Amino acid sequence: MKIAVVTVYHPFTNLGSFLQAYAINCVLSNMGHEVKFVKTGPHIMSALKLMTRINPKREFFLRFVKALNAMRDLSKLEFVSSDIAKTEADIIVFGSDEIWNVTNKFFQQPVFWGMTFENQPKICYAVSAGHARLEDFLSVSSLTSNIINFDNVFTRDTHTKTILEEQFHIESELVIDPTLLIDVSQLSQPIVIPERNYLLVYSYGLNPPMISIVKEFARRNNLKIISPCFWHHWADKVINCSALQFSTLIKNARYVFTTTFHGAIFSLVNHSQCCILPAREKVRSLCITLNSENRLINEDISLEQFEEIINQPFHVDHFEKNLLSLRTKSMKLLTKAIDSKRK
C-alpha cells in the first residue's frame, strides 16, 4: 500500500527525531509498502535558519556542518505535500515522537491531528504528548478533539495513554519507539572514530556538580570527553556527526553518559557501559520498560556511585530477550492495524 507518514523528522535540531522517522520508514518499507513523508516545512529554510543564527558565535562552524549533515540525512527519505498525500495515500501513519505535545506550538498544526486527512484511514503509532497535561489538551480542543477520528492509536508512554483514556475514552496499547523495532545496524553508518578511548556525553546541558563528576571520571580513566553535535566548554572535543552516524559513535565509546530519550535508546541497544540521568520522565520510563533501570542515576549522585553504575556488566542476553518480546508485540499491533485497512 501507499503510506504517507506524518511525524517530526528534523535533524537540524534533534538527531532523535530524524532517527525515529528513518526507522519507521525502514519498518514500513520492509513490510512491502511504499512510504513517503508529509513535508511540514521547507528544508532549506530550516538549514538556513540554523546556519544564520548569530549566537553563540563559537558554534558557527558546528551549525554549518550540522546543517549539511541534516540535509544529507533528509535525502534518504521521500517527501510529498499534504495535498498529494491526501489524494494518493491509501493510509496515513502518524508518529512517533511528541507530535501530540500541545505545549509546543509547532505541533499545533492541524496536520498532526489528522484534520488534513479526514476521509483516509489513520493510524497513530508510538505517539507521545510529552509533558503536556490534560488541561493543555483541553485548551486547544479544536485540535485535540480530532483524536476520536483515528482508527487506531498506539502510545509510547503511560502518560499519553492515561490522557487518551480519561478525556477521549480511547483504549490504547503501549508500543515501543520505531528505533527499537529494527536492528541497530540499520541505523548506524560509518564515521571516523576518535583514536583515543573516550567517554561519549550526549546531553543538552549538565549542572556544575555533574560536570565535575564527568570530568573527574574521565581523568581517572584517561578518557577524552566527546560530545556529538552539542558544544560544551568542558568537553575535549565536539564531533559533528549525522543522525545516522550517531549510533556508531556510541558503539565505539568506552563509556556513555546521556540525559536524553534517544541517547538512552542507542546506549542500550549498543550494549554500552553507560549510565543515564533522565532529564525527563519519559527517559526514566523508557529505561524501566527496557529492564535497564539499574543504569539510572540522580543529580545528587557521588563520583563513587557514578563509577559503580557505569561499570556494571551489561547483561546482553537478558536485555535482548526483553527487547525481542517488546518488538514482537509492537510489530504485531502495527501490522494488524495496517492490514485491516487494505481495500
Side-chain angles (χ1 to χ4, degrees):
M1 288 195 294
K2 293 182 178 180
I3 297 180
V5 178
V6 176
T7 190
V8 55
Y9 51 76
H10 289 108
F12 302 102
T13 55
N14 188 312
L15 298 181
S17 71
F18 174 82
L19 287 166
Q20 64 83 24
Y22 185 83
I24 199 66
N25 179 69
C26 292
V27 169
L28 297 174
S29 297
N30 291 343
M31 290 165 65
H33 302 295
E34 181 183 328
V35 186
K36 295 185 180 180
F37 287 76
V38 175
K39 200 169 185 179
T40 53
H43 299 161
I44 192 66
M45 291 302 295
S46 297
L48 290 173
K49 183 178 180 180
L50 174 63
M51 289 188 291
T52 55
R53 268 174 41 199
I54 298 174
N55 291 310
K57 294 181 174 62
R58 60 179 175 264
E59 292 185 8
F60 174 75
F61 181 71
L62 177 63
R63 293 196 297 269
F64 180 77
V65 176
K66 190 174 184 178
L68 293 179
N69 283 333
M71 292 298 287
R72 191 179 301 117
D73 281 336
L74 287 173
S75 69
K76 295 176 173 61
L77 302 177
E78 288 191 58
F79 292 89
V80 293
S81 68
S82 58
D83 287 340
I84 291 177
K86 186 159 53 174
T87 57
E88 296 186 0
D90 299 309
I91 185 172
I92 313 295
V93 173
F94 293 74
S96 66
D97 223 290
E98 296 186 7
I99 64 166
W100 284 355
N101 183 353
V102 292
T103 64
N104 185 331
K105 288 189 176 181
F106 180 75
F107 296 129
Q108 291 182 14
Q109 299 182 59
V111 66
F112 291 113
W113 303 89
M115 297 169 71
T116 312
F117 311 102
E118 293 179 356
N119 300 316
Q120 287 162 289
K122 292 179 283 292
I123 293 172
C124 214
Y125 180 82
V127 67
S128 175
H131 60 273
R133 301 162 300 175
L134 179 55
E135 49 263 45
D136 297 316
F137 268 64
L138 297 177
S139 69
V140 286
S141 59
S142 60
L143 291 173
T144 59
S145 61
N146 289 279
I147 289 175
I148 62 173
N149 296 318
F150 281 77
D151 298 277
N152 303 91
V153 179
F154 304 117
T155 49
R156 197 179 72 177
D157 53 75
T158 54
H159 172 65
T160 306
K161 177 181 172 68
T162 300
I163 289 177
L164 297 185
E165 290 176 353
E166 290 184 356
Q167 179 59 30
F168 304 100
H169 308 293
I170 294 174
E171 294 289 335
S172 65
E173 298 259 17
L174 286 171
V175 292
I176 55 177
D177 189 79
T179 55
L180 293 166
L181 290 177
I182 57 178
D183 190 85
V184 67
S185 61
Q186 295 187 59
L187 300 168
S188 308
Q189 293 188 348
I191 187 174
V192 176
I193 301 300
E195 295 178 2
R196 187 172 139 195
N197 283 342
Y198 60 95
L199 163 66
L200 184 139
V201 179
Y202 187 65
S203 176
Y204 289 95
L206 302 175
N207 64 25
M210 199 72 245
I211 293 171
S212 296
I213 288 176
V214 168
K215 290 176 67 176
E216 179 59 19
F217 176 80
R219 187 193 68 79
R220 288 188 181 186
N221 292 275
N222 194 29
L223 302 168
K224 276 190 172 181
I225 299 175
I226 300 297
S227 173
C229 298
F230 294 125
W231 187 91
H232 298 302
H233 67 86
W234 40 265
D236 293 305
K237 187 174 183 180
V238 177
I239 292 185
N240 297 295
C241 67
S242 72
L244 289 169
Q245 292 172 328
F246 175 61
S247 176
T248 308
L249 276 179
I250 287 180
K251 181 179 181 180
N252 286 278
R254 184 173 169 190
Y255 295 99
V256 180
F257 171 56
T258 185
T259 63
T260 75
F261 184 83
H262 283 100
I265 284 180
F266 283 92
S267 299
L268 295 171
V269 296
N270 280 297
H271 310 147
S272 302
Q273 291 299 129
C274 65
C275 61
I276 299 162
L277 174 63
R280 299 264 292 275
E281 182 57 34
K282 65 179 180 180
V283 184
R284 183 181 301 278
S285 297
L286 168 74
C287 292
I288 293 171
T289 298
L290 294 176
N291 283 349
S292 299
E293 55 265 45
N294 61 320
R295 296 285 169 183
L296 292 169
I297 65 171
N298 299 316
E299 286 191 330
D300 58 356
I301 195 170
S302 67
L303 175 58
E304 290 68 31
Q305 291 170 320
F306 183 94
E307 290 180 321
E308 180 181 353
I309 290 174
I310 205 169
N311 277 308
Q312 346 173 44
F314 198 109
H315 300 293
V316 175
D317 290 344
H318 175 71
F319 175 83
E320 288 296 328
K321 183 178 179 180
N322 180 55
L323 177 57
L324 178 60
S325 175
L326 294 168
R327 183 180 288 165
T328 301
K329 174 194 171 186
S330 296
M331 283 298 299
K332 281 183 177 178
L333 290 170
L334 178 60
T335 302
K336 182 179 179 180
I338 291 176
D339 287 347
S340 68
K341 305 302 181 294
R342 291 184 183 276
K343 296 178 180 179

